[in-house]
Amino acid sequence: MVFNSIPFLIFFVIVFFIYYTICKDKKQWQNWLLLLASYFFLGYANWKMLWLFIVATVVFYYLGIAIAKANEKNQERLKIVGVVLGLGLLLYFKYLGFFIDSFASLLNTIGLHTNIHSFKIIMPLGISFFTFRLISYVLEVYDENIEPERDFVSFATYISFFPCILSGPIDRPQFMHQLKAVRTFEYKNVADGCRQFLWGLFKKVVVADNCAIYVDAAWGNIDGSSASTLVMAAILYSFELYADFSGYSDMAIGVGKWLGLKITDNFKTPFFALNIADFWRRWHISLTKWMTDYVYTPLSFVMRDWKKWGTIMAIIVNFILVGFWHGANWIYGVYGLYHGLLFVPLILSGAFAQKNEIRVNRWNLPKWIDFSKMLLTFVLVTVSFLLFRSEDLSLFGHYIVRMCDDSILTIPYLMKRQFYIPTIIAILVMVIVEWVYRNDLEALLRHSKYRCIRWLWYYMLIIACFYFSAKESAQFIYFQF
Amino acid sequence: MKYFFKSICLFCLPFVVILVPYFIFDPFKVIWEYKSYYPLDGSPLYIDNNRSFVSAKMFLKNKDIYHYDSFVFGSSCSTYFLVEDWKQYLPDCASCFHFDGYDESLAMILSKMNFVSQNAPLTNVLICLEPDMLSKDQLESGHLWMIPPQLCGYSNLLDFQLTNVETYFNYDFLGACWKFWFMDSISQEMIDKQLMNILPTYYDIQHNETRKRIEDSKYPDSLYTSTKLRRFYHSRQTQEISCPQLIGESQYNLLLQMKNILEAKSSSYRIVINPQYDQQSINPKDVKILRDLFGKHFYDFSGVNLFTSDYHDYSDPYHFSDRVAAKMMQIIYESDSARQQQMMDSIYMRN
């Protein structure tokens, strides 16, 4: 059930109505409703795997309580059990087939032919986000940052909260504090939620889905496309990935606001980053923070004696794991390694931990030096996204080689006018709006005090979603020649 | 909360205003019930509708009146198999119904056969396939082609209605509709963009037939403009070309299910591969599969033959004339097998 679908609309209208009427002023009822709605949402995607979420939730619920009650030695053991269980779930469903295939390939490479075959494991949707929440909870309880949650409903709601379960953001257990109070209807929150949802929808269906048409066409015909077309596809893919992911996050955060719950931000105009460190503070923020707190920080502590080289090693390991988190394929590991290596110059120069402020000129545009840094960061990141898009290194290499062809100076294939003009305009609108509102909590935040102007803007976005969403052109008469 | 709902209602007002004419005029005729979904006075339809949906509706509406037991399935080409000609080969008590659809697929034909077999006897069946239909194992999407809710237990009712609403909101189409409804005007642009269908309509309610016999049974010369000739009737290969094999596992399963229904209902049936003007024949492997499956009930008229030699028998490369259809029926319903073979040889110019 995706956000931009009629089933979700029907589902959410029912939940919203019950939440603020029948469950009004009753915190526990609201939590129960959210839990049931979340399980329905998960079950709609795949009801056969619902048992896994419920069982894992129950196990970790009791694990959290046990950790708080145990002595120091047993706390350590229970923490390890929790982390191993959580990672074990992830490893089994997401990576087991990959490990088996890789092991078999390795044996075949050294001349030991095997009959090992990987078996198809159905990966439950949202398993990556779900397990990270479970692991995060156990670690936070162990570190005594939070008390173990005694209310199972609150705990289970946090673990499986439906706006975030499929694609994040990855909220921390502190999210549960919000479930301890009644959520009353607040016009401001709901209106903000509508704005954010609409903005996310625009990014997803207009920018991302239209870019995907061009990108898929180019990737489907690398040899037949000119270098300039492949460069254009690479650039559009960066916008596609950002618009798709951040659009979904915006919609999730908007849904959270409708329910009176704050969901952590996940993107903060990453294409305005001045360097790679700045980029990762703005891109998939919830994952970056999670990995920083639970992987990078402990690793850099362990390797602290190696000084800068320790930091470099920690960063590289951190990002390799970030890469693999995205998928069970060596190419994701290379993606992570690539990003880790990009940190090396920053760490060695000492610029790694520096706060980055964009300097603007009198027209509120970035100064040339900062603009060039943004451009460089964008190029470096775009190359990494090509890794992400490729199924393997050879395809990535082939794409790069074809991009360096002498047809780089030709005009790229532009598809039909009714495609590329709206797409380019949509990208420009997205970039301009996000530039103008880069320091605000979210885009479209009450940009005009006049309702008619605000509403005109919203109507334009809705119309754009309707008319420029990527779909096959309609045929109206069964054409008889 | 009241203020929020008031704001939402006010905000949605323009969309509601646009939607109201949709419910009043029902452009695709999917909301309200109609005695006939096509004009009976020969006037144009203007806004095309989902042919399969209309066929399903008319079948359910009239099955208890006319007691249908004889059905033609296929795409728009099957409409040239006129009931008037078909009835000659059926018992006097046969009651015929055209259950055709636009751009039909094997999956859709099977759905229709399932649906009909639950509601009426399948005494006589004529299935008319184009060569490319043999590959179509999926249901089509789009408001003109998607499976009607009646054929799938109403499980896609919401999706079906929303698809039509979404089509209505198409920028060009919406403008054309409003101009047509409120200004009673159809511009050349609407016709050029194929937003409106201005061809005269023929419709026989009883048989759900949208085709009548052409005068002289051949298309007039005036139909063949130089543009049309250049676009559609290009020179053809002298040697017969056969299509690549189209029937795979999923298509075979669909055909097998069709056969099972026909045999379970003890139907008298014929399966015909229609002749296409491009003269491409279906792949010999596909011919073998179909012959093994359907035996003497299967007839292949694809490839180079007398039907496909004269473009006056085709209004376009796919749609032949009723004369061609009548001749095909004469062959497939010939009871003397020797005579039948002689007729086939004659069509294929085999001596």
Side-chain angles (χ1 to χ4, degrees):
Chain A
M1 217 193 302
V2 290
F3 289 149
N4 53 320
S5 69
I6 297 299
F8 178 78
L9 177 67
I10 296 171
F11 159 79
F12 188 77
V13 164
I14 295 170
V15 168
F16 183 84
F17 179 74
I18 298 174
Y19 192 73
Y20 285 118
T21 53
I22 299 171
C23 301
K24 186 181 171 187
D25 298 330
K26 297 181 185 74
K27 166 197 77 174
Q28 201 60 7
W29 285 30
Q30 286 181 328
N31 292 344
W32 266 109
L33 176 66
L34 289 180
L35 178 62
L36 292 172
S38 300
Y39 284 154
F40 177 83
F41 190 85
L42 280 167
Y44 190 93
N46 186 353
W47 64 270
K48 288 179 187 171
M49 283 292 168
L50 196 53
W51 66 268
L52 175 73
F53 288 97
I54 296 172
V55 167
T57 304
V58 170
V59 167
F60 275 76
Y61 168 75
Y62 285 109
L63 196 58
I65 294 171
I67 288 174
K69 281 184 181 170
N71 60 37
E72 205 174 300
K73 196 174 173 186
N74 284 335
Q75 272 185 341
E76 178 78 26
R77 285 179 182 156
L78 287 169
K79 177 196 85 173
I80 292 169
V81 164
V83 170
V84 165
L85 270 177
L87 285 178
L89 276 174
L90 194 59
L91 287 170
Y92 176 76
F93 284 103
K94 200 167 175 177
Y95 299 103
L96 185 59
F98 163 67
F99 286 137
I100 291 174
D101 285 341
S102 301
F103 184 63
S105 297
L106 180 66
L107 291 178
N108 285 333
T109 309
I110 60 174
L112 292 170
H113 296 287
T114 67
N115 279 327
I116 301 173
H117 296 289
S118 68
F119 42 91
K120 196 163 169 59
I121 301 170
I122 299 170
M123 190 171 73
L125 284 175
I127 188 78
S128 306
F129 300 93
F130 176 77
T131 50
F132 267 34
R133 283 168 179 252
L134 290 173
I135 295 169
S136 170
Y137 172 72
V138 160
L139 294 173
E140 293 291 302
V141 169
Y142 173 79
D143 288 337
E144 294 179 2
N145 292 332
I146 57 166
E147 289 292 315
E149 182 55 56
R150 304 283 170 171
D151 178 13
F152 178 77
V153 174
S154 295
F155 177 72
T157 304
Y158 157 65
I159 296 297
S160 55
F161 190 46
F162 70 89
C164 310
I165 193 63
L166 292 186
S167 297
I170 308 169
D171 269 298
R172 297 301 182 84
Q174 285 77 2
F175 175 88
M176 284 187 279
H177 295 323
Q178 300 182 79
L179 300 174
K180 303 230 179 288
V182 168
R183 276 80 66 196
T184 52
F185 182 93
E186 282 187 37
Y187 178 82
K188 177 189 163 311
N189 267 348
V190 175
D192 280 352
C194 289
R195 268 188 285 271
Q196 192 148 7
F197 189 93
L198 177 58
W199 183 240
L201 188 68
F202 169 78
K203 286 198 281 189
K204 170 91 181 73
V205 305
V206 181
V207 180
D209 290 353
N210 279 301
C211 288
I213 295 175
Y214 193 97
V215 169
D216 291 346
W219 277 86
N221 186 23
I222 296 173
D223 290 323
S225 302
S226 65
S228 55
T229 302
L230 295 178
V231 168
M232 178 122 162
I235 295 168
L236 287 179
Y237 183 61
S238 295
F239 285 116
E240 176 199 335
L241 208 54
Y242 169 65
D244 191 275
F245 204 174
S246 71
Y248 197 90
S249 292
D250 278 333
M251 287 194 275
I253 294 167
V255 170
K257 284 182 180 175
W258 289 338
L259 298 169
L261 296 167
K262 182 164 176 10
I263 295 174
T264 188
D265 285 332
N266 222 9
F267 292 86
K268 192 79 185 154
T269 60
F271 291 144
F272 303 145
L274 298 175
N275 54 49
I276 198 67
D278 193 21
F279 175 81
W280 279 101
R281 283 187 213 112
R282 296 163 177 264
W283 177 277
H284 205 171
I285 298 167
S286 62
L287 175 67
T288 310
K289 279 188 179 167
W290 197 102
M291 295 297 284
T292 303
D293 288 347
Y294 302 126
V295 177
Y296 168 72
T297 303
L299 269 179
S300 62
F301 181 77
V302 164
M303 296 180 194
R304 63 191 182 282
D305 292 336
W306 296 356
K307 304 232 176 352
K308 281 185 179 176
W309 295 105
T311 305
I312 289 170
M313 281 306 301
I315 280 277
I316 288 175
V317 169
N318 182 68
F319 274 97
I320 289 175
L321 292 175
V322 165
F324 276 121
W325 179 86
H326 287 87
N329 194 317
W330 289 111
I331 198 80
Y332 294 114
V334 174
Y335 164 82
L337 176 65
Y338 172 88
H339 273 276
L341 290 172
L342 288 178
F343 274 79
V344 173
L346 288 177
I347 295 168
L348 292 175
S349 67
F352 170 54
Q354 279 176 8
K355 209 166 157 38
N356 300 283
E357 295 278 347
I358 301 170
R359 291 161 294 180
V360 296
N361 56 27
R362 57 192 160 134
W363 296 294
N364 196 31
L365 293 171
K367 289 190 170 179
W368 281 113
I369 183 84
D370 283 352
F371 179 73
S372 55
K373 286 180 184 176
M374 284 183 206
L375 204 56
L376 175 64
T377 308
F378 181 79
V379 168
L380 292 171
V381 162
T382 296
V383 170
S384 76
F385 288 156
L386 292 179
L387 276 165
F388 209 79
R389 184 70 168 75
S390 309
E391 291 158 6
D392 53 57
L393 274 174
S394 63
L395 186 61
F396 167 74
H398 183 53
Y399 195 98
I400 295 289
V401 164
R402 288 285 301 127
M403 268 208 310
C404 303
D405 200 65
D406 54 12
S407 56
I408 190 83
L409 296 173
T410 57
I411 296 173
Y413 172 58
L414 287 176
M415 293 183 110
K416 292 181 190 165
R417 184 183 295 180
Q418 55 258 39
F419 156 76
Y420 76 80
I421 288 180
T423 306
I424 299 301
I425 291 173
I427 292 172
L428 283 173
V429 165
M430 181 179 75
V431 169
I432 291 169
V433 166
E434 299 218 328
W435 171 256
V436 169
Y437 294 101
R438 64 191 181 280
N439 295 322
D440 282 329
L441 291 173
E442 75 269 343
L444 311 186
L445 187 66
R446 294 184 294 281
H447 59 90
S448 169
K449 60 180 179 180
Y450 301 109
R451 178 187 265 198
C452 54
I453 295 176
R454 293 200 306 272
W455 280 25
L456 185 64
W457 175 231
Y458 304 151
Y459 283 134
M460 282 165 57
L461 288 176
I462 291 171
I463 289 168
C465 290
F466 233 108
Y467 288 116
F468 300 118
S469 63
K471 53 188 174 217
E472 288 173 24
S473 12
Q475 189 170 332
F476 301 100
I477 63 174
Y478 180 60
F479 185 60
Q480 303 268 339
F481 300 126
Chain B
M1 198 151 157
K2 278 184 194 165
Y3 179 71
F4 174 72
F5 278 117
K6 275 186 199 166
S7 302
I8 287 287
C9 289
L10 197 60
F11 185 82
C12 293
L13 198 56
F15 300 105
V16 171
V17 166
I18 294 172
L19 258 183
V20 165
Y22 176 80
F23 285 98
I24 294 173
F25 293 102
D26 190 13
F28 307 113
K29 295 191 166 47
V30 293
I31 302 173
W32 314 116
E33 294 287 329
Y34 300 88
K35 184 166 176 272
S36 170
Y37 287 78
Y38 297 97
L40 296 173
D41 58 358
S43 56
L45 181 61
Y46 294 114
I47 297 174
D48 248 359
N49 43 32
N50 183 316
R51 177 69 182 145
S52 295
F53 172 80
V54 169
S55 300
K57 282 292 235 188
M58 293 309 290
F59 170 74
L60 287 172
K61 197 186 286 294
N62 295 329
K63 67 180 174 71
D64 294 330
I65 302 171
Y66 300 111
H67 307 290
Y68 300 118
D69 67 348
S70 306
F71 298 90
V72 180
F73 297 105
S75 66
S76 50
C77 294
S78 66
T79 59
Y80 293 95
F81 291 81
L82 301 178
V83 166
E84 191 186 328
D85 295 328
W86 193 32
K87 280 204 82 159
Q88 295 171 36
Y89 308 103
L90 304 179
D92 293 337
C93 57
S95 179
C96 304
F97 187 86
H98 257 285
F99 214 137
D100 57 281
Y102 294 148
D103 245 350
E104 205 75 313
S105 64
L106 294 177
M108 182 69 103
I109 292 177
L110 178 63
S111 302
K112 288 178 178 174
M113 286 175 67
N114 267 321
F115 172 69
V116 168
S117 67
Q118 287 161 24
N119 290 283
L122 270 174
T123 311
N124 302 291
V125 172
L126 179 58
I127 301 175
C128 312
L129 305 175
E130 278 77 71
D132 62 350
M133 278 169 73
L134 294 174
S135 65
K136 292 183 181 179
D137 58 345
Q138 303 292 326
L139 294 168
E140 303 283 338
S141 59
H143 77 292
L144 288 179
W145 300 279
M146 67 187 298
I147 186 168
Q150 292 83 356
L151 266 54
C152 53
Y154 294 92
S155 61
N156 73 336
L157 180 61
L158 186 61
D159 193 29
F160 183 80
Q161 293 292 347
L162 288 171
T163 301
N164 283 280
V165 171
E166 199 181 317
T167 307
Y168 169 69
F169 272 96
N170 176 283
Y171 177 75
D172 287 325
F173 183 75
L174 186 62
C177 270
W178 279 49
K179 209 168 174 179
F180 175 61
W181 291 333
F182 299 112
M183 294 162 66
D184 201 23
S185 124
I186 296 177
S187 64
Q188 187 58 40
E189 195 188 348
M190 288 186 208
I191 298 165
D192 293 341
K193 284 185 176 178
Q194 296 168 33
L195 298 168
M196 293 275 164
N197 184 351
I198 56 162
L199 297 174
T201 315
Y202 167 80
Y203 188 60
D204 173 343
I205 283 188
Q206 180 181 351
H207 302 116
N208 192 39
E209 225 172 7
T210 55
R211 196 75 60 191
K212 63 178 179 178
R213 197 176 299 287
I214 309 161
E215 267 183 47
D216 300 328
S217 290
K218 284 235 186 217
Y219 292 108
D221 279 319
S222 55
L223 184 67
Y224 304 101
T225 60
S226 57
T227 314
K228 191 165 180 170
L229 280 171
R230 203 168 42 245
R231 194 174 161 198
F232 298 127
Y233 301 101
H234 45 78
S235 60
R236 299 173 294 187
Q237 303 284 341
T238 50
Q239 226 178 341
E240 185 168 301
I241 300 170
S242 88
C243 303
Q245 186 178 3
L246 297 174
I247 300 178
E249 193 182 331
S250 57
Q251 292 87 353
Y252 181 84
N253 287 333
L254 292 169
L255 290 164
L256 183 61
Q257 288 179 64
M258 284 186 209
K259 179 190 168 180
N260 291 340
I261 293 173
L262 293 165
E263 291 192 347
K265 295 289 176 182
S266 305
S267 306
S268 166
Y269 69 94
R270 305 286 190 276
I271 295 183
V272 169
I273 303 291
N274 292 329
Q276 306 275 271
Y277 186 74
D278 64 7
Q279 293 186 322
Q280 285 199 32
S281 60
I282 64 171
N283 192 282
K285 289 181 183 168
D286 287 338
V287 175
K288 184 173 184 320
I289 290 170
L290 289 163
R291 217 169 278 296
D292 288 345
L293 208 47
F294 298 108
K296 60 182 170 65
H297 303 278
F298 167 69
Y299 297 86
D300 175 18
F301 289 102
S302 66
V304 178
N305 55 50
L306 283 178
F307 292 142
T308 59
S309 59
D310 183 5
Y311 64 74
H312 290 95
D313 282 323
Y314 284 82
S315 60
D316 62 60
Y318 310 100
H319 296 94
F320 38 83
S321 65
D322 55 275
R323 186 189 83 91
V324 169
K327 188 68 185 165
M328 281 196 276
M329 282 196 279
Q330 192 186 7
I331 296 171
I332 66 179
Y333 284 104
E334 174 54 56
S335 52
D336 182 334
S337 51
R339 171 109 183 93
Q340 189 182 69
Q341 187 57 47
Q342 207 178 12
M343 289 161 85
M344 282 295 278
D345 289 342
S346 159
I347 292 298
Y348 278 92
M349 299 166 285
R350 294 188 284 250
N351 294 311

